Amino acid sequence: MAGKKYENAAKNIDRDKRYPLEEALQLVLDNKVAKFDETVELAVRLNVDPRQADQNVRGTVVMPNGTGKVARVLVLAKGEKEREAREAGADFVGGDDLIKKIQEENWLDFDRVIATPDVMGAVGRIGKILGPRGLMPNPKVGRSPSMSPKPSRKLRPERSTIGWTKPE
């Protein structure tokens, strides 16, 4: 049995009618039940076959205002790149010392890893630790070994990217 507010809101919606997006959003806003920001879910039938490589559906969206959480960045570099990373605002900067700490102490107090090409050979040793957690430096997701950590906005992004894949 639902509450009075919910029942009153449900009376305003015809479950058999298909609403255009603008009208549906207006209905959601007009029929708020809770005193907090409510969640709206959207289900889309795409009629694709996920077994076909060219029909996989996946992607990411960068939220314009972020989520308010700032990512803690670990930069694995040597020499001049290490200094550049510190100036760019990385939380943790180092080389073999941090790799050893991750291996021995299972230290994972960071959200993103960026590595320079000269350290990538050593980063491979901690691949079994970083890989399953999605932290392994990878050029496809913007953690490119060739990436020079210059702008602090690029180095320290807010956790504001949402990714999705079609379930199989």
Side-chain angles (χ1 to χ4, degrees), residues 5-152:
K5 290 181 181 179
Y6 177 83
E7 287 178 0
N8 288 336
K11 289 178 188 174
N12 298 332
I13 299 170
D14 182 7
R15 293 184 57 86
D16 297 327
K17 181 181 175 187
R18 290 184 182 214
Y19 293 97
L21 182 61
E22 293 82 13
E23 190 178 342
L25 286 173
Q26 192 59 47
L27 271 172
V28 169
L29 294 173
D30 293 342
N31 293 297
K32 283 183 68 168
V33 177
K35 295 178 183 175
F36 52 84
D37 291 339
E38 298 173 331
T39 300
V40 177
E41 292 186 17
L42 175 68
V44 180
R45 181 170 292 152
L46 299 173
N47 292 325
V48 296
D49 185 5
R51 294 172 296 206
Q52 302 293 325
D54 63 330
Q55 293 186 22
N56 279 336
V57 178
R58 62 178 77 134
T60 58
V61 174
V62 177
M63 304 304 284
N65 297 323
T67 59
K69 296 179 182 176
V70 178
R72 296 163 296 179
V73 178
L74 165 69
V75 176
L76 299 170
K78 290 181 182 175
E80 182 64 26
K81 296 289 185 184
E82 199 171 334
R83 187 187 60 75
E84 285 180 24
R86 285 189 206 286
E87 289 174 2
D91 295 305
F92 310 104
V93 181
D96 292 329
D97 55 332
L98 291 178
I99 292 172
K100 190 174 181 182
K101 184 175 181 179
I102 292 169
Q103 277 180 320
E104 294 175 359
E105 300 174 22
N106 208 19
W107 175 69
L108 296 167
D109 193 27
F110 46 85
D111 301 308
R112 187 162 186 201
V113 180
I114 298 174
T116 56
D118 55 339
V119 184
M120 281 305 288
V123 172
R125 296 192 312 245
I126 55 174
K128 287 186 178 180
I129 299 169
L130 298 179
R133 293 169 177 84
L135 296 172
M136 194 69 178
N138 182 344
K140 291 183 181 177
V141 292
R143 299 177 209 159
S144 170
S146 61
M147 186 171 104
S148 176
K150 285 185 181 163
S152 60

